[in-house]
């Protein structure tokens, strides 16, 4: 089991996470620690509210305007510390969120792109948590990028050869790399990662995975019938499997749907994914010929009238020999919700999308500190639930208590 980081004071937290930033000048690193501490004291406040002294605020603006102060330079020490603390089995929850700003504002470096493109940037996050108790360990890696419209009149061949937005999953997996001795990484992803290239990146980095299936039409073949029958779709394979068992899942309320306890039927089948007809340059370079993994389906039985039944179809590289194994796979995927809480902490708790800086470069730097601060807020939330008797004065600024 990993040792979850303790909740430090704002000053300790700022020094731990930003005291080793390489910003080209020791004075900038010192300033990064000071700014991070002020932000931790008042996460949802604006920069003028976080730094009420004019001299300090002006220094903050100069800091984020510096070319040496980048998203990667600010967040990298935290990533490295997170991976260094990992031990035993850990989950790496992957997802991308959109950080968008009001289009009425003129922000240097932002473009409106094509139809449906955000006025802002994308932030792909890989959140590491303990597999046993779900304790937040930190961000293992991130990548900030901008969406680019697809070229007009592009044919299939051209589309297959150009870089794609989904390549970010593989880049982040490779950046996290191979787990250290005695550590097992299990990457947990939503349907955006249902991609043969993602599976290959995970294999190369010697990682396990639980990924929600998106392409139910993809051709696969049950391993027990390998070479004896033609490949059929994921949907058809699952339809032919017997129910292995049942379980229940408590679903929180959603807009238009009340909270309920869903009864789920489980089906499990080991399949082989054959070589696709049209391989991407990455798959050709790797000489991809096929891949074995297991499908675990959870489908709601007897849902309330008028409610769309819950259904998860999960790819996994982990062994699934028993009903208990299948239930463990479902429990792992349930943990993915934590990364949505992280994004909420960035946008609501830290008000990242309300920052009034006038350049994309400055906003990227603010995001570098804010994303690490969001991990702190998420850990505080977990502590409040797991150890509610902990004195608040031990973990939050005195100013928060005074305001309450």
């Amino acid at each position: 089991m990993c040792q979850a980081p303790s909740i430090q004071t704002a000053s300790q937290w700022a020094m731990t996470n930003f005291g080793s930033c390489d910003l080209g000048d020791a004075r900038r690193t010192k300033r990064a620690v000071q700014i991070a501490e002020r932000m931790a004291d008042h996460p949802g406040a604006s920069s003028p509210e976080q730094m009420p002294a004019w001299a300090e605020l002006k220094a903050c603006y100069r800091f984020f305007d510096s070319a040496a102060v980048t998203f990667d330079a600010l967040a990298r020490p935290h990533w490295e510390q997170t991976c260094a603390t990992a031990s035993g089995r850990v989950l790496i929850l992957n997802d991308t969120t959109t950080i968008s700003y009001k289009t009425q504002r003129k922000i240097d470096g932002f473009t409106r792109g094509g139809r449906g493109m955000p006025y802002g940037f994308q932030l792909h996050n890989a959140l590491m948590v303990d597999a046993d108790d779900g304790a937040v360990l930190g961000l293992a890696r991130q990548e900030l990028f901008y969406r680019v419209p697809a070229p007009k009149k592009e044919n299939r061949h051209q589309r297959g050869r150009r870089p794609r937005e989904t390549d970010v999953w593989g880049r982040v997996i490779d950046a996290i790399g191979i787990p250290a001795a005695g550590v097992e990484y299990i990457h947990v992803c939503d349907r955006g990662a249902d991609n043969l290239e993602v599976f290959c990146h995970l294999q190369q980095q010697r990682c396990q995975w639980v990924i929600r299936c998106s392409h139910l039409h993809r051709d696969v073949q049950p391993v027990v019938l390998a070479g004896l029958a033609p490949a059929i779709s994921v949907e058809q394979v699952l339809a032919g499997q017997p129910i292995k068992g049942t379980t229940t899942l408590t679903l929180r309320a959603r807009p238009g749907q009340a909270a309920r306890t869903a009864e789920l039927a489980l089906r499990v089948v080991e399949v082989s994914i054959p070589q696709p007809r049209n391989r991407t340059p990455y798959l050709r370079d790797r000489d991809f010929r096929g891949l074995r993994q297991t499908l675990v389906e959870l489908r709601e039985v007897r849902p309330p009238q008028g409610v769309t039944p819950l259904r998860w179809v999960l790819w996994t590289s982990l062994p699934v020999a028993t009903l208990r194994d299948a239930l463990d796979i479902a429990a792992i995927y349930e943990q993915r919700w934590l990364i949505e809480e992280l994004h909420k902490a960035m946008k609501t708790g830290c008000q990242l999308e309300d920052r009034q800086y006038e350049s994309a470069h400055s906003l990227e730097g603010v995001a570098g500190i804010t994303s690490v601060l969001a991990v702190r807020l998420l850990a505080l939330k977990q502590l409040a639930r797991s150890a509610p008797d902990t004195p608040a004065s031990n973990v939050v600024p005195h100013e928060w208590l005074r305001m309450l």
Side-chain angles (χ1 to χ4, degrees), residues 124-170:
H124 187 93
N125 301 296
L127 180 68
M128 184 178 287
V129 303
D130 187 274
D132 293 323
D133 59 16
V136 173
L137 303 177
L139 287 158
R141 272 303 182 279
Q142 298 170 277
E143 184 175 318
L144 186 153
F145 64 98
Y146 291 84
R147 296 192 67 187
V148 178
K152 295 181 178 179
K153 298 182 179 180
E154 180 182 50
N155 60 38
R156 178 181 294 181
H157 176 73
Q158 292 169 328
R159 184 167 60 251
R161 297 196 65 83
R162 68 170 168 83
R164 295 165 300 164
E165 193 172 295
T166 54
D167 293 344
V168 69
W169 297 87

Side-chain angles (χ1 to χ4, degrees), residues 233-241 267 269 295 297 311 313:
S233 71
V234 168
E235 191 78 81
Q236 291 171 311
V237 167
L238 288 171
Q241 301 305 310
R267 290 180 173 86
V269 58
L295 282 165
E297 182 195 46
R311 187 189 187 195
V313 178

Side-chain angles (χ1 to χ4, degrees), residues 157-217:
H157 176 73
Q158 292 169 328
R159 184 167 60 251
R161 297 196 65 83
R162 68 170 168 83
R164 295 165 300 164
E165 193 172 295
T166 54
D167 293 344
V168 69
W169 297 87
R171 290 196 300 268
V172 170
I173 289 165
D174 289 347
I176 297 171
I178 298 171
V183 181
E184 182 182 36
Y185 288 166
I186 304 175
H187 285 261
V188 184
C189 313
D190 68 1
R191 286 177 283 203
D194 182 8
N195 185 306
L196 286 180
E197 290 191 13
V198 173
F199 299 142
C200 292
H201 281 286
L202 289 165
Q203 276 193 324
Q204 284 184 310
Q205 301 304 328
R206 303 175 199 167
C207 297
Q208 307 288 358
W209 64 84
V210 176
I211 296 175
R212 190 168 180 185
C213 179
S214 173
H215 304 297
L216 296 174
H217 61 275

Side-chain angles (χ1 to χ4, degrees), residues 367-380:
I369 295 181
T370 296
S371 56
V372 180
L373 178 54
V375 173
R376 174 176 165 83
L377 295 183
L378 191 55
L380 278 169

Side-chain angles (χ1 to χ4, degrees), residues 91-151:
L91 309 182
I92 302 178
L93 315 178
N94 298 264
D95 202 8
T96 304
T97 189
T98 299
I99 308 299
S100 60
Y101 297 86
K102 294 180 174 64
T103 55
Q104 294 86 346
R105 288 176 56 196
K106 179 66 172 71
I107 300 175
D108 184 34
F110 281 174
T111 60
R112 285 168 174 77
R115 179 178 295 179
M117 295 289 170
Y119 189 58
F121 50 80
Q122 305 293 108
L123 190 54
H124 187 93
N125 301 296
L127 180 68
M128 184 178 287
V129 303
D130 187 274
D132 293 323
D133 59 16
V136 173
L137 303 177
L139 287 158
R141 272 303 182 279
Q142 298 170 277
E143 184 175 318
L144 186 153
F145 64 98
Y146 291 84
R147 296 192 67 187
V148 178

